[in-house]
Amino acid sequence: GESVGLHLPTLSVQEGDNSIINCAYSNSASDYFIWYKQESGKGPQFIIDIRSNMDKRQGQRVTVLLNKTVKHLSLQIAATQPGDSAVYFCAETLVNSGYSTLTFGKGTMLLVSP
Amino acid sequence: DTAVSQTPKYLVTQMGNDKSIKCEQNLGHDTMYWYKQDSKKFLKIMFSYNNKELIINETVPNRFSPKSPDKAHLNLHINSLELGDSAVYFCASSQDRVPYNEQFFGPGTRLTVL
C-alpha cells in the first residue's frame, strides 16, 4: 500500500470522467518523452510516448500533448476507469546522448471512484 | 512467463549488513538498469549495463556494486547498508541502449534497513 503522508499530487475523478495529468519537464534539450503508469506494488509500465517533433499523439483512450515552449506534457485519459487508478510519471530523455537515461518527474496519483 | 523478475520482493535487514538483489530478464534484451524509488515515489536511475558492460553510473555510493554475469542478469550488491538505503529498487531492461526502445520494469524489491 501507499505510505501515509506521501504528499504526491493527487487527482480524484469519477468513473467515466476524462482525466488530465500534467507534468513539467526540466531539460529544454530533451527530445523524447514517455508516460508511465505504476500500480500499487508493481513496477512502472509504459503507456505512451512522444517525440519532440510532435505536439500530440493518441493511443487507445490516452492522448499525450507536448508544449515545448513551456516545457509541459500532459496525459489525457478518456472515460477513466477504476483500473486506471495508479501513480503516473512522465519521463524525459535526450536521444542524441546515445543512452536510454530516463529522467522521471515526481508522479501524480490518480484515484478513480466507481 | 515473467519478463523481468527480481528476488527477493521484500528484504528487511540491519544496518551494516551486506545484501544482494537479483534481476533476470527473459526478453532477450541486451541493456539492463537499476532504479531506486524513494519514499516520495521519486524514481532515479542508478546504473545501466549494455552487453554486460557498465554504460551509466549515476552518483551512487560505491557501497553499491552492480554485477552482470550475462546479458540476462544484473544483480545489485550493497555493502554496509545504511538507513537511507531503504527504498524500492527496480530492475528494468530494454533492447539496445537506444532511448526509443521501451524499458520493461520488474516488480521491485522493497528494502528496509533497520
Side-chain angles (χ1 to χ4, degrees):
Chain A
E2 302 297 338
S3 303
V4 174
L6 196 55
H7 299 303
L8 272 180
T10 300
L11 175 64
S12 297
V13 300
Q14 295 285 325
E15 183 177 2
D17 287 351
N18 295 332
S19 301
I20 300 176
I21 300 171
N22 296 305
C23 172
Y25 64 91
S26 57
N27 186 353
S28 56
S30 292
D31 53 10
Y32 179 57
F33 306 88
I34 310 168
W35 278 100
Y36 281 89
K37 173 186 180 183
Q38 186 178 17
E39 295 175 273
S40 181
K42 297 184 178 179
Q45 181 183 13
F46 174 95
I47 303 174
I48 191 168
D49 60 357
I50 189 167
R51 302 188 187 192
S52 60
N53 60 353
M54 304 171 70
D55 53 22
K56 180 179 179 178
R57 188 157 190 240
Q58 286 184 292
Q60 188 176 17
R61 280 201 310 120
V62 294
T63 300
V64 55
L65 298 178
L66 173 63
N67 184 332
K68 295 184 289 293
T69 304
V70 294
K71 295 191 291 184
H72 184 267
L73 271 173
S74 67
L75 177 71
Q76 300 177 358
I77 305 174
T80 315
Q81 303 166 1
D84 295 327
S85 293
V87 177
Y88 289 81
F89 295 94
C90 65
E92 59 182 300
T93 190
L94 179 58
V95 171
N96 288 337
S97 69
Y99 300 113
S100 192
T101 304
L102 295 177
T103 300
F104 283 82
K106 290 183 181 177
T108 297
M109 184 175 295
L110 176 65
L111 297 174
V112 184
S113 306
Chain B
D1 59 347
T2 305
V4 182
S5 59
Q6 297 177 227
T7 53
K9 186 161 177 63
Y10 299 97
L11 183 54
V12 181
T13 189
Q14 299 284 334
M15 269 197 313
N17 284 350
D18 303 338
K19 290 292 178 185
S20 292
I21 306 172
K22 295 186 177 181
C23 177
E24 177 181 2
Q25 54 93 5
N26 63 4
L27 297 165
H29 290 165
D30 54 15
T31 304
M32 296 184 72
Y33 313 82
W34 276 108
Y35 287 85
K36 178 180 180 181
Q37 186 172 49
D38 63 21
S39 59
K40 293 184 170 62
K41 292 285 191 182
F42 186 62
L43 197 60
K44 187 168 165 54
I45 182 78
M46 299 173 69
F47 301 102
S48 175
Y49 269 71
N50 177 261
N51 280 317
K52 301 194 298 175
E53 289 187 25
L54 181 66
I55 56 172
I56 294 170
N57 183 353
E58 293 295 311
T59 49
V60 176
N62 57 15
R63 297 182 295 104
F64 290 77
S65 52
K67 288 184 172 52
S68 183
D70 55 58
K71 272 183 12 173
H73 296 84
L74 180 62
N75 303 323
L76 184 64
H77 189 75
I78 316 170
N79 289 329
S80 303
L81 278 155
E82 300 177 357
L83 292 177
D85 297 333
S86 295
V88 181
Y89 292 84
F90 288 99
C91 177
S93 73
S94 67
Q95 182 56 45
D96 205 351
R97 61 179 75 179
V98 177
Y100 292 139
N101 292 328
E102 180 182 345
Q103 290 188 23
F104 292 80
F105 284 78
T109 295
R110 182 175 291 277
L111 171 65
T112 303
V113 183
L114 303 176

